[in-house]
Amino acid sequence: MTYAISDIHGCYEEYIKLLEKINFSENDTLYILGDICDRGEKPMEIYNDIMARDNVISLFGNHEHLQGACLYQSPPPHKK
């Protein structure tokens, strides 16, 4: 079976409960359509779970783009 979800927003427990509810298995495919991070307390747990599964494909959403921009943006020049 193929599934698609979005807007997990760092809510790891709810993400795992959803996988359990649909009986997600290695024979299924899950597409996560962005917004894995922000708001919830455990986005890294979700990213770790995604990376551990060969059958989960994630796409960047606007929250991931904002996160990347914050991480890789050069600091403004220091003014005297």
Side-chain angles (χ1 to χ4, degrees):
M1 183 75 71
T2 300
Y3 299 96
I5 61 172
S6 67
D7 298 281
I8 300 169
H9 290 293
C11 297
Y12 177 73
E13 285 82 10
E14 291 83 352
Y15 164 72
I16 294 300
K17 285 179 188 176
L18 177 65
L19 296 181
E20 291 170 354
K21 185 174 184 174
I22 63 174
N23 295 315
F24 188 70
S25 73
E26 60 187 35
N27 297 320
D28 298 322
T29 302
L30 174 65
Y31 291 91
I32 301 178
L33 308 176
D35 295 354
I36 297 165
C37 63
D38 198 13
R39 298 188 187 138
E41 297 179 359
K42 299 182 179 177
M44 289 311 299
E45 285 84 345
I46 299 169
Y47 286 120
N48 288 336
D49 183 80
I50 291 169
M51 290 186 295
R53 298 177 190 262
D54 292 331
N55 57 340
V56 176
I57 296 98
S58 63
L59 304 175
F60 267 34
N62 62 313
H63 291 263
E64 284 79 24
H65 285 285
L66 179 61
Q67 179 184 32
C70 290
L71 289 172
Y72 298 108
Q73 184 177 33
S74 298
H78 180 66
K79 293 183 180 181
K80 293 183 181 182

